[in-house]
Amino acid sequence: MDQPISRYYELKEIQKQVEEELNELRSKLIEAYSEAGSAEEGEYKLLISYQERREYNDDRLYNALPDPSLWRLMSKADTGKISSLLKLNVIHEKVLADTFEPKKVPVLRVQKR
């Protein structure tokens, strides 16, 4: 049993290193190519698009919700839970009007042609 445990630990350490390097490269690529939106280098194509996400303010959201029991379901502004409540028509988009700040998040995609 010692072998799988030690191997798991080794792989988690490698994963951590790979994720750190990927984050560094992602930051460099976004900084270098954010204006262009896309670039081609050899057989690789880089695409940068922007996705709009909402960052909710806990206080404003709490005050905007029609029923305090809804807040107990969330306990903090959770975008996934808020989206679910919207889809289920428990709350309406109008209620959320001043409770969030839109934020553009870059999405990086590299394809091999």
Side-chain angles (χ1 to χ4, degrees), residues 3 12 28 35-36 47 55 66-67 88 90 96 105 108:
Q3 176 77 20
K12 288 301 274 184
K28 287 179 184 177
E35 296 299 317
L47 297 170
E55 285 192 355
D67 183 3
L88 293 170
V90 174
L96 301 175
V105 178
L108 183 77

Side-chain angles (χ1 to χ4, degrees), residues 93-106:
E93 193 72 40
K94 293 176 192 174
V95 170
L96 301 175
D98 295 325
T99 64
F100 64 89
E101 301 282 330
K103 179 182 176 185
K104 292 192 180 235
V105 178

Side-chain angles (χ1 to χ4, degrees), residues 2-61:
D2 221 12
Q3 176 77 20
I5 294 172
S6 64
R7 182 66 180 146
Y8 182 85
Y9 180 82
E10 289 173 21
L11 290 174
K12 288 301 274 184
E13 289 298 309
I14 292 170
Q15 179 183 22
K16 190 186 314 180
Q17 292 170 356
V18 168
E19 287 175 359
E20 287 174 7
E21 186 175 351
L22 280 170
N23 285 333
E24 288 175 23
L25 288 171
R26 181 181 185 278
S27 296
K28 287 179 184 177
L29 289 170
I30 288 172
E31 187 177 310
Y33 297 102
S34 64
E35 296 299 317
S38 68
E40 292 187 29
E41 192 173 300
E43 59 185 272
Y44 298 96
K45 183 175 183 177
L46 168 75
L47 297 170
I48 297 177
S49 59
Y50 289 87
Q51 188 177 66
E52 191 169 295
R53 293 193 185 154
R54 296 178 174 184
E55 285 192 355
Y56 289 93
N57 178 298
D58 288 344
D59 295 329
R60 287 191 274 174
L61 181 62

Side-chain angles (χ1 to χ4, degrees), residues 63-102:
N63 292 328
L65 291 174
D67 183 3
S69 65
L70 290 175
W71 182 253
R72 278 183 255 144
L73 289 173
M74 290 185 272
S75 75
K76 70 175 187 158
D78 182 323
T79 308
K81 289 179 182 177
I82 294 169
S83 295
S84 296
L85 291 172
L86 285 168
K87 286 179 186 174
L88 293 170
N89 290 322
V90 174
I91 58 175
H92 300 284
E93 193 72 40
K94 293 176 192 174
V95 170
L96 301 175
D98 295 325
T99 64
F100 64 89
E101 301 282 330

